[in-house]
Amino acid sequence: MVKARIIATGSYVPEKVLTNHDLEKMVDTSDEWITERSGIKERRIAAKGQTASDLACEASKAALKQAGLKGGDIDMIIVATVSGDMPFPSTACLLQKRLDAKKAAGFDVNAACSGFLYALSVGESFIKSGAHKRVLVVGTEVLSKFVDWEDRTTCVLFGDGAGAVVLEAATGDSGILSTHLHSDGNLWELLNIPGGGSKNPPSKDTVKEGLHCIKMKGNETFKVAVRTLEALATETLKHNKLKPAQLTAFIPHQANLRIIKATAERLSLPMDKVVVNLDRYGNTSAASIPIALDEAVRTGRIRTGDYVLLEAFGGGLTWASALIRW
Ligand code: UT7
């Protein structure tokens, strides 16, 4: 049976580093509070004018280079983002132009922090159906441009970056074994950007009221996340008849170290199997999993035959997972 296999990964983060100590000078916060409550020490911030497609382009070029492919070899580009260059065209189309991926169809997926896993699942389906041979799946975010830099409850959490994978049809043991997607729109108010869409079209008032910035009920979101992520991991492992101990690596969305640790603990997974990089990048939303995956691959933490669990949670609310045999 045909599977979709990740044959290459790539990632990119902007050069500018914003530390917790830098934030102490901007809002009423402290390195101690941010570290204790979230685990984040620093994050990357896109330069003025640097866009989601700019970051996506660097990550995609790295993935294509690792795969030994050119843009022209790609059949489809799926970009997960909630901070795309503009409402339309899609960031995927802008990326297609930059990669000279002439034969590719391109579109964006909006599932907030779960976006990459939603996009991966869509890409997997196109490959399994036989419609496409090679799909580029990207998560890219420049949430620093949608953060209220005077709101200490959100501005300390987010960062910018991009990650990409190349999916290819494969028939061996390696590949994506299953993906699991969920959402609950009843909880949309926990995490959103209320302005700029047809509900609150851009106006002087929406700008004045800060409606174009991220709003999050952090504490409530936290509680749902811990509950949901354990259940999702259990569902995913059970579907594949695997036990947590059989996992080589667990790559969770990098939102909060306490959420990650709570999930690992509930699964009885030792933290040395959990890939964590939020101390360096903060929450990069749809980019967090592909960046962490790329780092894990490039540092040799994941090898052929390993079972790897990816899991995310975010605005929508949405949550999603993927079980991969590397
Ligand atoms: O990526 C998508 C999904 N997102 C998530 O999963 C994020 C989930 N939520 C979280 O990560 C955590 O809820 C936060 C890190 C956002 C906040 O941690 P918390 O332990 O839930 O804190 P809290 O919101 O309950 O706030 C505790 C206190 C409050 O003060 P009072 O009311 O107790 O006096 C806040 O005003 O901490 C205060 N506070 C801060 N203090 C210093 C909030 N933000 C800050 C800050 N610096 N940056």
Side-chain angles (χ1 to χ4, degrees):
M1 200 178 117
V2 174
K3 285 198 198 74
R5 190 166 78 91
I6 296 176
I7 59 159
T9 61
S11 63
Y12 174 80
V13 291
E15 275 170 37
K16 186 182 168 188
V17 177
L18 185 73
T19 67
N20 290 351
H21 294 295
D22 295 330
L23 281 162
E24 286 175 347
K25 295 174 205 140
M26 297 162 64
V27 285
D28 180 15
T29 192
S30 65
D31 172 47
E32 194 189 355
W33 189 94
I34 303 169
T35 307
E36 262 178 27
R37 301 290 177 126
S38 72
I40 299 164
K41 296 298 283 183
E42 58 186 47
R43 66 290 289 143
R44 299 300 180 98
I45 304 294
K48 195 166 185 275
Q50 199 174 24
T51 66
S53 71
D54 290 333
L55 272 50
C57 188
E58 296 303 323
S60 301
K61 280 183 182 165
L64 287 172
K65 190 173 171 206
Q66 199 190 59
L69 296 173
K70 294 201 170 10
D73 298 318
I74 297 295
D75 302 314
M76 174 170 273
I77 299 174
I78 312 175
V79 174
T81 187
V82 289
S83 52
D85 291 27
M86 35 186 126
F88 73 87
S90 67
T91 299
C93 284
L94 300 173
L95 179 61
Q96 174 193 24
K97 173 181 183 302
R98 303 273 292 275
L99 298 176
D100 199 24
K102 286 199 177 68
K103 70 173 177 184
F107 60 93
D108 291 357
V109 164
N110 175 342
C113 301
S114 313
F116 176 76
L117 294 182
Y118 268 69
L120 190 76
S121 177
V122 176
E124 182 210 14
S125 303
F126 273 100
I127 286 181
K128 273 181 22 184
S129 75
H132 292 308
K133 215 173 129 204
R134 286 198 196 100
V135 179
L136 177 68
V137 181
V138 187
T140 183
E141 302 283 12
V142 281
L143 284 178
S144 64
K145 295 179 200 280
F146 299 88
V147 156
D148 176 353
W149 288 102
E150 291 178 3
D151 174 11
R152 70 174 183 171
T153 67
T154 51
C155 77
V156 302
L157 303 172
F158 297 97
D160 301 333
V165 302
V166 180
L167 293 181
E168 195 174 72
T171 49
D173 290 339
S174 297
I176 298 172
L177 301 183
S178 69
T179 58
H180 306 259
L181 310 181
H182 298 277
S183 56
D184 185 354
N186 289 312
L187 299 175
W188 75 268
E189 281 175 289
L190 293 189
L191 182 51
N192 57 74
I193 294 179
S198 52
K199 186 175 171 72
N200 296 300
S203 70
K204 281 183 187 152
D205 285 341
T206 59
V207 173
K208 208 162 78 189
E209 289 164 29
L211 298 187
H212 300 268
C213 296
I214 296 171
K215 314 284 175 203
M216 180 165 73
K217 292 179 181 156
N219 201 274
E220 288 170 60
T221 309
F222 186 100
K223 287 177 195 152
V224 185
V226 173
R227 242 191 357 254
T228 309
L229 289 172
E230 185 209 359
L232 178 60
T234 305
E235 171 195 336
T236 310
L237 290 166
K238 203 170 159 197
H239 181 88
N240 291 286
K241 299 186 176 61
L242 289 172
K243 298 257 174 290
Q246 289 171 273
L247 294 173
T248 301
F250 172 44
I251 306 186
H253 169 49
Q254 308 284 311
N256 187 308
L257 188 58
R258 287 185 294 142
I259 297 177
I260 294 173
K261 280 187 171 165
T263 310
E265 202 172 298
R266 286 165 178 230
L267 295 171
S268 303
L269 262 186
M271 279 306 285
D272 62 3
K273 286 195 173 183
V274 185
V275 177
V276 176
N277 65 9
L278 88 178
D279 51 323
R280 287 175 287 131
Y281 304 134
N283 180 348
T284 58
S285 186
S288 91
I289 287 182
I291 294 173
L293 176 65
D294 182 47
E295 289 190 348
V297 170
R298 286 176 194 267
T299 54
R301 274 186 84 167
I302 303 175
R303 293 174 191 284
T304 307
D306 288 349
Y307 288 111
V308 181
L309 174 63
L310 314 180
E311 191 174 73
F313 179 88
L317 292 179
T318 55
W319 56 104
S321 65
L323 202 288
I324 298 172
R325 182 95 197 257
W326 203 258

